[in-house]
Amino acid sequence: MTGWRERLRDIAGRFRRGDATASAVDKRGGAVAASLRGLLEDPSIPSHVREAMAADFQRVERMLDRLENEELHVAVFGRVSAGKSALGNALLGRDAFEVGVLHGTTTEAGAARLDEAASAGLVLIDTPGINELGGEAREKLAFEVAEVSDLIIFVADGDLTREERDALRTLASTRRPLLVALNKADRYSDDERESLLERLRQHAANLVRREDVIAVTARPAPRDVMEVDAAGKERHLREPRAADVAALKARLLAIAEREGKALSAINAGLFAGRLTDQVSERIAATRRDVASGVIRQYCIAKAVAVALNPVPVADLLLAGGLDAAMVVQLGRVYGLPLTRSESGRLVAVITTQLAALMGAVWGVQLVSSALKGLSGGLSVVVTAAAQGALGWYATVLIGRAAEHYLVTGKSWGEHGAKRAVAEIVASLDRDSILREAREEILRRLRK
């Protein structure tokens, strides 16, 4: 495993366990940035894996840009019409996000730089409502944005519904810092507002710090004003009022100043760590498929050779040579080349363990081989399919055992070869393998 993979998994693992804090991570993000470049430039990742995961690799590129530009991405979540887009606009001081009275105004994620906080590198991300009818795709998008964001503002306009409480817990499970904004606070009296804030703090207990539950008014209702002109005529006017988001903005700027670079590095490392695991699994799956093809090719070759070889016991020696050649091929598949002598020793270890577990099976094979010689070849039709099927089955066992040895880095693991081989034998359906082998051998013999 290369160094960049180890660093990414170390950062991700420590943060998931909760024994890593923002201050414990390189605040410049240098180590994570180097690891991200290692992931993007790793020549060992096959082209077909890169193509299949192109969107994920593009995310990594964007994260690298964020680290280099020292940006902190803030996602805004909440119910439909709770005022998420309006809050974003109020924080920005301009109309960057579309605001409407109908449900579902926000249909896709959009991002805009927080103008007043350009030096802190804050980027605000508006997201779809999490409770839209038929909006599963939009909700999924919102959680995907949370995964690649560094901090989350959860917007509510009253006491939390069960759906909101569930969403808040889910967001907290991403281990992103959370702020809860009670929007439309101007609708409530002072006592009502304090009571609601306390209720929100209770719902968010152990998820959000008390001081991070903040009242805001993103789009206050206009104020009714009576104006009297020079002639004494009265006019009723609706005077717009300024948004009140100063406390929330101050909190965001404080977090960005104190923890922004570290949060961005941690979250980039977490995402890239997960991506590294997915890449490794895809490569492993590809290798398993290729290895299965190699094992099957040698199963056919060995089964037919054993079935048609008229010389007593010589077929078993031939089979051993094929097993050694198969193991050499498997070593190449898994990027762990084996010499002929190494493969021979490995086959000997596996065969010894199989003989101890399945002596009766090998006994049948030896008897079949002897019969074939004693009958001058007349019993080939009777014994060939059975003996060839056993050879096929033995090849599967040897191939899978060798594969286990290679996957674990040329090691049998802490329990040794005996335990590993026994588990492989137990995991395979012998009857179905023998049935498939007999059918394939007979088909080839008829030709």
Side-chain angles (χ1 to χ4, degrees), residues 59-351:
R59 277 186 176 181
V60 173
E61 291 176 354
R62 290 195 296 270
M63 285 180 166
L64 185 57
D65 289 340
R66 284 164 52 184
L67 285 174
E68 292 175 344
N69 295 327
E70 298 185 352
E71 294 178 351
L72 181 71
H73 284 222
V74 182
V76 185
F77 279 80
R79 286 187 302 104
V80 171
S81 300
K84 299 179 288 77
S85 300
L87 178 58
N89 290 338
L91 289 168
L92 291 165
R94 59 188 173 87
D95 291 335
F97 303 117
E98 184 180 359
V99 177
V101 296
L102 298 178
H103 284 195
T105 296
T106 301
T107 57
E108 60 183 16
R113 181 172 291 279
L114 200 58
D115 293 340
E116 295 86 352
S119 61
L122 284 171
V123 174
L124 201 65
I125 300 173
D126 192 22
T127 64
I130 60 174
N131 66 325
E132 294 180 272
L133 295 175
E136 292 181 5
R138 295 176 186 175
E139 184 173 353
K140 180 176 180 291
L141 174 62
F143 282 87
E144 287 176 350
V145 172
E147 185 179 48
V148 293
S149 298
D150 308 309
L151 188 148
I152 301 168
I153 301 174
F154 191 94
V155 184
D157 60 0
D159 196 5
L160 297 185
T161 65
R162 184 172 65 180
E163 183 178 48
E164 288 175 305
R165 294 196 297 272
D166 290 343
L168 187 63
R169 283 191 291 270
T170 301
L171 291 171
S173 70
T174 68
R175 288 190 173 275
R176 297 322 188 253
L178 273 168
L179 302 175
V180 175
L182 173 61
N183 194 21
K184 306 178 185 178
D186 60 320
R187 299 190 309 185
Y188 306 105
S189 67
D190 291 345
D191 289 342
E192 289 172 334
R193 184 167 57 252
E194 287 305 315
S195 176
L196 267 176
L197 285 172
E198 186 57 34
R199 287 284 296 161
L200 292 178
R201 288 170 182 139
Q202 291 173 7
H203 289 313
N206 302 318
L207 305 176
V208 182
R209 291 177 292 192
R210 288 181 61 83
E211 62 269 27
D212 288 339
V213 180
I214 302 168
V216 297
T217 302
R219 201 180 185 192
R223 179 172 52 193
D224 289 329
V225 176
M226 179 81 69
E227 185 181 88
V228 180
D229 61 18
K233 186 175 180 180
E234 296 180 351
R235 284 194 307 166
H236 288 277
L237 301 176
R238 293 182 64 78
E239 183 179 90
R241 291 190 292 172
D244 180 8
V245 296
L248 179 60
K249 182 180 287 189
R251 187 78 184 111
L252 283 174
L253 292 173
I255 292 173
E257 183 67 25
R258 186 178 68 252
E259 306 175 59
K261 296 174 184 177
L263 286 173
S264 183
I266 287 172
N267 295 328
L270 282 170
F271 177 79
R274 285 192 293 274
L275 180 58
T276 299
D277 291 340
Q278 292 169 12
V279 168
S280 298
E281 178 53 37
R282 281 182 179 261
I283 293 173
T286 300
R287 285 174 169 169
R288 286 195 298 269
D289 289 343
V290 174
S292 294
V294 168
I295 293 171
R296 181 175 177 80
Q297 288 174 358
Y298 277 90
C299 282
I300 294 172
K302 181 176 177 180
V304 172
V306 168
L308 296 182
N309 192 333
V311 181
V313 186
D315 51 3
L316 301 182
L317 298 176
L318 173 63
L322 288 172
D323 289 336
M326 174 183 66
V327 170
V328 169
Q329 288 282 71
L330 291 175
R332 292 172 183 162
V333 170
Y334 283 97
L336 296 169
L338 296 168
T339 65
R340 279 281 182 174
S341 60
E342 285 177 320
S343 67
R345 287 194 297 270
L346 180 56
V347 170
V349 169
I350 297 170
T351 303

Side-chain angles (χ1 to χ4, degrees), residues 364-422:
V364 170
Q365 191 171 12
L366 286 168
V367 169
S368 297
S369 180
L371 271 175
K372 199 162 51 174
L374 291 173
S375 61
L378 296 178
S379 63
V380 168
V381 174
V382 177
T383 62
Q387 187 179 5
L390 286 171
W392 180 304
Y393 178 53
T395 301
V396 172
L397 291 174
I398 292 170
R400 293 305 178 196
E403 194 177 12
H404 170 88
Y405 177 79
L406 293 166
V407 167
T408 52
K410 292 187 177 181
S411 167
W412 289 114
E414 59 179 318
H415 299 296
K418 181 178 180 180
R419 173 78 168 272
V421 172

